[in-house]
Amino acid sequence: MNVLLIGNGGREHAIAWKLAQSKNLSKLYIAPGNPGTAQSGENIPIGATEIDKLVDFARENKIALAIVGPEDPLAAGAVDAFEAVGIKAFGPSADAAQLEADKAFAKHLMRSSAISNAEGQVFERFADAKAYIASRDEAVVIKAAGLAKGKGVFVCDEPSDGILAAEKIMCDRIFGAAGDKIVVEDRLLGEEASILAFVDGRNIYVMESSQDHKAIGDGDTGPNTGGMGAYSPAPVITDAMMDKITREILVPTVDGMNRNDTPYKGVLYAGVMITAGGPRVLEFNVRFGDPETQPILMRLKSDLLEVMLAVCEGKLDDVTLKWDPRPAVCVVMAAGGYPGEYEKGKIITGISEAEKLEDVVVFHAGTAVKDEKLVTNGGRVLGVTAMGRTIADAKAKAYEAADKIKFDGAYYRRDIADKAIKRTI
Ligand code: AMP
Ligand code: GLY
């Protein structure tokens, strides 16, 4: 069958790479894709949020399944648009995508479904937010309610810093309309994990656990990014903890979405903090995580296309997923300056040397081809991903591979997976 995958990040390269292994795939198109996805299918020059053009393309090219990778087209109704013309689409409807696109919606759903999360309040006026934050004497977390590319959250030790963050979001409008509302939350302490599950409206199939590294600097220091590296599985998620998260978070979320008349289908991603009092939700995403997808899909042995079709057909109960037991680690190579200002167009070398290492795949994110050379074209440039016998082996191999890749200003964290390694020794 013909498949159209939408997006151009590292996540989409990983999805395309995995789909290309499916025996049921005839032709894979990626819109707009990147030089990495071009190795697994054909890139087409349509932007991820040009929904009308995507639908026209899908009709003209006999697309049987459209897969929407990023949150923006999901929130803009891409899945609804494909389904309206009878094309199966993987991902939630625009209404259901509010679970990520509107943190106030997510807070409300969690409250009405008794799902454990941080105490918090939603504000639409800066003066009200300021008064509330000023009344607090502990650390606060300030979140733009809308979509902000993973950068809309400020964890502030002091309430006075929280007021400054609220001002930047609501008055300076650094995230535009995404900051019309903010959520002010208590800070949770613990270790984070990403729990991704396939959901078909009714059935839930949890994938292997993973952990992202959101902060730019080693030791989780500095501002948050879209994610600087990830590994799977996350040892902090024991089997008992996964059961608890499924029972106390995933099941009530899917039930709550049904009660809310926004039934959920696609990948449900719960970002959780494992606190001393148990798992608590930090955020929901309505799609695969980036970069978590890279190590997760590297470990998936089953046919991704089959699972995605089962999700669209409400037949997830027919599916069994098989996983490679070996851990995988993804190190994100970023442009110098990211998540602030950075330059583009730096020549990238060494990818083929890196991929000569066994069980290493270099997923492209912000890359482009210019004058027949591969160059940087975004903040997160590559996701160097390796599987190993142990998490320490996988880490060593991912860094051995990353060290072979060069571009001007390349930056990557040196401590990806250290938390997992500490737990396993
Ligand atoms: P979110 O987009 O809501 O996941 O937030 C991004 C990151 O900010 C999370 O992965 C956490 O590292 C951090 N964060 C968000 N909410 C909280 C919270 N209530 N307490 C501590 N850290 C948080
Ligand atoms: N890695 C975090 C995200 O995809 O939002």
Side-chain angles (χ1 to χ4, degrees), residues 169-231:
I169 299 173
M170 300 187 93
C171 307
D172 303 343
R173 296 177 64 79
I174 55 172
F175 303 118
D180 285 350
K181 278 185 287 189
I182 64 166
V183 176
V184 180
E185 270 184 12
D186 291 354
R187 179 171 63 183
L188 297 175
L189 295 176
E191 190 170 338
E192 281 181 51
S194 303
I195 309 299
L196 280 68
F198 291 107
V199 178
D200 69 359
R202 193 167 49 95
N203 301 293
I204 300 172
Y205 201 127
V206 187
M207 294 179 229
E208 292 277 280
S209 63
S210 60
Q211 190 177 75
D212 188 9
H213 296 66
K214 300 252 187 202
I216 186 72
D218 285 4
D220 296 331
T221 51
N224 272 340
T225 68
M228 292 303 294
Y231 59 83

Side-chain angles (χ1 to χ4, degrees), residues 11 212 214 226-227 269 283 285 287-292 380:
R11 163 186 50 219
D212 188 9
K214 300 252 187 202
Y269 164 146
E283 67 168 338
N285 293 323
R287 48 167 175 88
F288 275 107
D290 191 345
E292 293 94 324
R380 294 192 292 169

Side-chain angles (χ1 to χ4, degrees), residues 389-403:
R389 199 176 39 81
T390 63
I391 186 91
D393 285 345
K395 175 188 171 187
K397 209 188 293 175
Y399 279 104
E400 187 185 346
D403 291 341

Side-chain angles (χ1 to χ4, degrees), residues 73-87:
L74 288 167
V79 164
D80 312 66
F82 286 114
E83 289 179 348
V85 298
I87 295 172

Side-chain angles (χ1 to χ4, degrees), residues 168-389:
K168 276 195 215 150
I169 299 173
M170 300 187 93
C171 307
D172 303 343
R173 296 177 64 79
I174 55 172
F175 303 118
D180 285 350
K181 278 185 287 189
I182 64 166
V183 176
V184 180
E185 270 184 12
D186 291 354
R187 179 171 63 183
L188 297 175
L189 295 176
E191 190 170 338
E192 281 181 51
S194 303
I195 309 299
L196 280 68
F198 291 107
V199 178
D200 69 359
R202 193 167 49 95
N203 301 293
I204 300 172
Y205 201 127
V206 187
M207 294 179 229
E208 292 277 280
S209 63
S210 60
Q211 190 177 75
D212 188 9
H213 296 66
K214 300 252 187 202
I216 186 72
D218 285 4
D220 296 331
T221 51
N224 272 340
T225 68
M228 292 303 294
Y231 59 83
S232 169
V236 65
I237 305 298
T238 58
D239 290 349
M241 182 57 75
M242 192 61 119
D243 283 350
K244 197 171 163 67
I245 291 169
T246 305
R247 251 184 299 114
E248 296 179 4
I249 295 173
L250 300 177
V251 170
T253 302
V254 172
D255 287 350
M257 291 296 274
N258 277 323
R259 269 202 311 279
N260 198 42
D261 276 337
T262 49
Y264 197 89
K265 131 178 155 292
V267 170
L268 175 62
Y269 164 146
V272 296
M273 186 75 92
I274 308 303
T275 70
R280 298 215 193 167
V281 176
L282 293 169
E283 67 168 338
F284 286 115
N285 293 323
V286 296
R287 48 167 175 88
F288 275 107
D290 191 345
E292 293 94 324
T293 303
Q294 289 82 316
I296 290 177
L297 290 188
M298 202 154 163
R299 297 185 55 225
L300 179 65
K301 288 177 144 181
S302 309
D303 185 327
L304 180 62
L305 184 50
E306 243 168 56
V307 188
M308 288 180 151
L309 281 172
V311 164
C312 295
E313 290 165 359
K315 292 183 181 158
L316 202 46
D317 43 351
D318 290 348
V319 163
T320 307
L321 297 182
K322 292 210 171 63
W323 299 95
D324 195 313
R326 291 175 297 165
V329 171
C330 169
V331 175
V332 170
M333 300 184 72
Y338 174 80
E341 307 248 310
Y342 55 84
E343 290 178 13
K344 295 181 179 177
K346 308 291 182 198
I347 292 174
I348 305 169
T349 58
I351 291 183
S352 48
E353 287 74 22
E355 287 194 319
K356 279 189 192 124
L357 294 169
E358 208 182 331
D359 293 320
V360 168
V361 183
V362 179
F363 293 112
H364 291 232
T367 68
V369 175
K370 203 171 147 200
D371 301 330
E372 294 177 14
K373 291 200 170 70
L374 188 71
V375 297
T376 66
N377 192 40
R380 294 192 292 169
V381 177
L382 298 167
V384 183
T385 311
M387 263 193 316
R389 199 176 39 81

